[in-house]
Amino acid sequence: MSITGEEIERAEAALAHNYHPLPVVLTEGKGAWVTDVEGRRYLDLLAGYSALNFGHGDDELLAVAHAQLDRLTLTSRAFHHNQLGTFASELAELCGMEMVLPMNTGAEAVETAIKTARKWGYRVKGVPAGRAKIVVAGGNFHGRTVTIVGFSDDPEAIADHGPFTPGFVTVPFGDAEALRAAVDEDTVAVLIEPIQGEGGVVLPPDGYLRAVRAICSEAGVLFIADEIQSGLGRTGRTFACDHEDVVPDMYVLGKALGGGIMPVSAVVSRRDVLGVFRPGEHGSTFGGNPLACAVGTAVVRKLKTGEPQRRADELGRVFASVLSELPSSAVDAVRVRGLWAGIDVRGRTGRDVCEGLLGRGVLAKDAHGSTIRLAPPLVVSEEDLRWGVSQLAAELA
Ligand SMILES: *Cc1c(COP(=O)(O)O)cnc(C)c1O
């Protein structure tokens, strides 16, 4: 059997089958390219679901991580350490906010945002005890905890995981009037992805984010933007909300914040919101650890230059233009924002197309059913990007 076959057999025998990976076994990566155990190279058009916005093995991020590994990696929050203040203040500044609550994974940061909103609702807004309500959007993906999948409408994510946490109401994504109608005096927050990533890179109608902002401001409700996948340069701006010049009350960040090196997530907000926490009311053993803060600060400094956003914007125009030339007989719809695309293919499953792409040296991932999601690292060259899309065009032809 091939090395690939042996590795897959060993993994499948000892791992829970909660994923169905493409049959490739990777060993190395640099920039937008990865290599498998057989020595074959692939262009990575998934980039760890946007966790690898700066590509594999970025020299600056690696240097910072290596240096911090040798100095101090973990203290717990029982003590201060010398990376924490820099990370929190520079991240808050990048977001135009005042306070940061660091966690590790995206789901933990979403949970933190939910706790923050409920606490704010009871302590600041004056919602009666136990009544706090959060409005979410249909088709959402916010992570995998029991509370979070409890307000998902993806049957696979929900199956046999209940009973679920109450206090969530779902309205259709993109429907501002439905949102307005769902908000009442017990509503503490609206939680949405400004662009739904796992849903298939679903873009809201123009003006939707501005309408969400207005509805939240009028009703005295927190607007929580889950920018875990859409944020930090992916769409050609620092945040997807920037495309409508909208500032939410809370950003939820993750994925690319860890530079593809380790899980780093955070809730970023104003003092009157995140200030509701008192000692002992929330925490995480690993959240805000020195290694995470050092890498997170290096990521923030890259974004502060504006260069990743500029690249995503410029290459995003090339991306949109070449994707618009995909054979129309094989494609139902293409949605693009920056270096992020959802492509609905006709007559084939997304999985089938991604298996075909694998054989052509391109890694991509299906979202739902017949949708393929492409999220190249923002460091991809224009030539490689054009080549990757040409392989998709050939696969669909
Ligand atoms: C990936 C993702 C999450 C969950 O992040 P994890 O690190 O996998 O827990 C939450 N929200 C959005 C929008 C995501 O894309």
Side-chain angles (χ1 to χ4, degrees):
M1 200 191 285
S2 65
I3 311 174
T4 297
E6 282 172 23
E7 287 293 343
I8 291 175
E9 200 163 277
R10 192 162 34 237
E12 293 295 326
L15 283 161
H17 294 171
N18 57 325
Y19 279 94
H20 180 34
L22 289 170
V24 59
V25 181
L26 304 173
T27 56
E28 277 175 56
K30 192 71 184 167
W33 290 85
V34 289
T35 308
D36 77 0
V37 286
E38 318 284 350
R40 288 183 295 239
R41 296 180 77 230
Y42 303 85
L43 181 64
D44 183 357
L45 293 188
L46 178 63
Y49 305 96
S50 290
L52 287 156
N53 276 4
F54 312 103
H56 296 269
D58 176 81
D59 290 334
E60 277 172 38
L61 297 179
L62 277 187
V64 165
H66 282 144
Q68 191 61 39
L69 268 174
D70 289 334
R71 262 185 234 119
L72 183 69
T73 51
L74 189 67
T75 58
S76 85
R77 293 288 306 277
F79 315 110
H80 284 273
H81 63 75
N82 72 343
Q83 300 295 319
L84 194 53
T86 304
F87 172 61
S89 58
E90 294 195 17
L91 177 58
E93 190 195 337
L94 180 78
C95 298
M97 292 285 183
E98 294 167 327
M99 283 184 136
V100 169
L101 202 165
M103 297 296 280
N104 312 285
T105 65
E108 287 175 310
V110 171
E111 288 273 348
T112 301
I114 292 167
K115 281 188 176 180
T116 306
R118 286 180 167 185
K119 224 173 249 300
W120 174 88
Y122 298 127
R123 291 184 179 172
V124 178
K125 180 169 175 171
V127 171
R131 295 250 297 267
K133 180 170 127 182
I134 295 176
V135 183
V136 299
N140 69 69
F141 181 87
H142 296 288
R144 298 291 196 168
T145 67
V146 169
T147 289
I148 292 170
V149 298
F151 56 82
S152 164
D153 48 23
D154 173 0
E156 287 175 346
I158 302 166
D160 295 329
H161 287 149
F164 297 118
T165 311
F168 299 92
V169 172
T170 305
V171 296
F173 181 66
D175 185 342
E177 285 322 304
L179 177 67
R180 191 188 300 280
V183 168
D184 62 25
E185 68 274 17
D186 291 336
T187 306
V188 296
V190 172
L191 166 63
I192 58 162
E193 301 153 86
I195 294 171
Q196 293 188 323
E198 299 304 305
V201 191
V202 180
L203 307 175
D206 282 343
Y208 177 66
L209 299 175
R210 271 197 301 276
V212 174
R213 176 67 279 177
I215 291 164
C216 289
S217 296
E218 283 160 28
V221 162
L222 299 177
F223 176 4
I224 306 172
D226 179 348
E227 294 250 17
I228 289 171
Q229 194 165 158
S230 59
L232 307 182
R234 171 57 53 195
T235 66
R237 305 288 297 269
T238 305
F239 300 109
C241 284
D242 294 343
H243 290 277
E244 291 199 13
D245 294 320
V246 157
V247 179
D249 298 295
M250 232 188 282
Y251 290 108
V252 188
L253 304 177
K255 293 204 165 100
L257 191 56
I261 293 176
M262 58 190 306
V264 184
S265 69
V267 166
V268 189
S269 185
R270 298 186 308 268
R271 194 169 304 281
D272 61 299
V273 178
L274 270 176
V276 294
F277 281 105
R278 299 175 199 140
E281 291 182 341
H282 190 45
S284 161
T285 303
F286 291 98
N289 70 71
L291 185 55
C293 287
V295 171
T297 300
V299 165
V300 168
R301 288 179 181 173
K302 276 186 180 296
L303 290 163
K304 213 150 71 176
T305 67
E307 189 49 36
Q309 297 91 318
R310 217 166 8 251
R311 264 196 87 75
D313 180 49
E314 285 170 15
L315 280 180
R317 292 165 205 274
V318 175
F319 197 36
S321 139
V322 289
L323 285 171
S324 73
E325 289 160 16
L326 286 175
S328 58
S329 57
V331 168
D332 279 328
V334 179
R335 298 170 294 277
V336 193
R337 178 117 340 144
L339 273 178
W340 209 18
I343 299 142
D344 302 335
V345 296
R346 189 178 307 159
R348 285 172 76 179
T349 63
R351 171 81 191 189
D352 184 45
V353 174
C354 290
E355 283 174 0
L357 283 173
L358 179 67
R360 295 172 181 275
V362 173
L363 299 185
K365 176 75 174 74
D366 49 307
H368 276 110
S370 59
T371 300
I372 303 164
R373 169 239 329 256
L374 300 181
L378 311 184
V379 298
V380 69
S381 72
E382 180 176 333
E383 192 188 349
D384 289 346
L385 185 68
R386 286 179 181 277
W387 177 80
V389 176
S390 76
Q391 293 306 304
L392 176 59
E395 178 60 31
L396 292 174

